[in-house]
Amino acid sequence: MDKNLAFIGAGSMAEAIISGLIESTIIDKQHIMITNRTNHQRITDLKQKYRIDSMRDKQQLIEWSDVIVLATKPCDMKEALASIQPYIEERHLIVSVTAGISTEKIEQWIGISTPVVRAMPNTSASIGFSATALCTGTHALEEHMRIAKELFDTIGTTVQVEEKEMHLVTGISGSGPAYIYYLVEAMEQTAIESGMSPETAKQLIHQTVLGAGNMLRETNETAAELRKKITSPAGTTEAGIQTLAQQNFQQVISKCIYAARDRSIELGE
């Protein structure tokens, strides 16, 4: 890809995407530029780590770019857009990875008919395993979606959804890795408290999670079917599952997802 990408924002998501793009070799480092509002040390660190460049002059940066990736915090989005709005043209493609902010709001803040694609990746992008949902704004055409899909396909898998689903996507796959990590934390803590060495616990649990994920991906079976296969009547797994059920595990997960979804809605407002 010979497009110039300008990243507005230098947080963990921006870094994950940059890392994935560079690792995939779909785009040369010279086509990636990054900037943020105040944290100059963060920019310096990313430049050294990924051998990319930065540009403080917003006008020069936007004029250089073809694709503008908005990777700011939701509370900083309006100010960030205001700082570059005078230089945005209809030739640009705006790609937002900021949670909660709708394409409609971004279009209003831009004020011209610039195409906008909203993306919700997750931090597994840094190793090429992101689950990314994409939706389009009013002015985005199939060509713009194709460009966005090509970019995010390099860091995992992509699906196109309706914008009304994006808040739920945020709660499921956007925040989802953190739920898995939290589960792993709990399993490791229990193993260590029971006398197992941290190294052994880590090896066993990490491989268990990796194996389960690959079973879901490689087989044609549902999660429920796979679970039932290893839940023998009156066996050890059934004892564990029954405990989870008694503690309303599924309801807790639902509440977790809905809480993240609702927070995404709040951020958008």
Side-chain angles (χ1 to χ4, degrees), residues 8-234:
I8 311 298
S12 58
M13 183 54 69
E15 180 176 4
I17 296 169
I18 290 169
S19 175
L21 288 172
I22 291 174
E23 183 68 23
S24 73
T25 70
I26 187 179
I27 188 168
D28 193 274
K29 296 175 184 179
Q30 68 182 6
H31 291 293
I32 299 175
M33 198 81 68
I34 191 165
T35 191
N36 66 357
R37 186 177 57 174
T38 56
N39 192 339
H40 304 315
Q41 184 59 51
R42 172 65 172 167
I43 293 293
T44 299
D45 292 343
L46 291 177
K47 287 171 64 177
Q48 292 176 347
K49 184 174 182 179
Y50 297 104
R51 298 295 185 265
I52 57 177
D53 209 347
S54 66
M55 194 179 294
R56 301 301 302 177
D57 187 308
K58 296 293 179 61
Q59 180 174 356
Q60 188 177 356
L61 175 65
I62 299 307
E63 289 177 351
W64 169 86
S65 67
D66 300 302
V67 180
I68 302 168
V69 182
L70 302 175
T72 69
K73 296 177 181 178
C75 60
D76 295 333
M77 170 73 88
K78 188 173 184 179
E79 182 180 346
L81 267 178
S83 70
I84 63 174
Q85 189 276 335
Y87 319 117
I88 296 176
E89 303 173 20
E90 292 184 5
R91 69 173 181 85
H92 285 112
L93 169 60
I94 306 292
V95 177
S96 171
V97 297
T98 299
I101 309 297
S102 68
T103 58
E104 180 182 10
K105 188 162 290 187
I106 294 170
E107 289 168 347
Q108 289 175 353
W109 288 338
I110 294 172
I112 59 175
S113 301
T114 304
V116 177
V117 173
R118 184 176 167 195
M120 179 47 60
N122 58 41
T123 53
S124 299
S126 62
I127 58 168
F129 280 91
S130 175
T132 304
L134 302 169
C135 69
T136 57
T138 305
H139 311 294
L141 306 175
E142 287 186 14
E143 171 65 10
H144 303 119
M145 175 55 77
R146 184 195 65 77
I147 293 171
K149 191 174 187 305
E150 185 176 357
L151 286 172
F152 288 99
D153 275 345
T154 66
I155 55 175
T157 61
T158 58
V159 294
Q160 186 171 353
V161 301
E162 297 293 327
E163 178 140 30
K164 63 184 179 181
E165 298 177 288
M166 287 296 273
H167 292 302
L168 186 58
V169 166
T170 301
I172 294 174
S173 58
S175 300
Y179 312 153
I180 306 301
Y181 303 148
Y182 200 32
L183 170 64
V184 170
E185 284 183 71
M187 294 175 71
E188 288 181 343
Q189 182 177 342
T190 300
I192 293 167
E193 288 175 351
S194 300
M196 185 177 287
S197 72
E199 295 75 16
T200 299
K202 178 179 178 179
Q203 182 175 348
L204 288 173
I205 295 167
H206 291 196
Q207 185 64 26
T208 298
V209 173
L210 180 63
N214 277 303
M215 286 291 288
L216 287 167
R217 185 176 65 175
E218 300 296 335
T219 70
N220 292 321
E221 296 175 279
T222 66
E225 289 170 337
L226 290 170
R227 172 179 57 80
K228 290 174 183 177
K229 275 191 172 183
I230 58 174
T231 308
S232 303

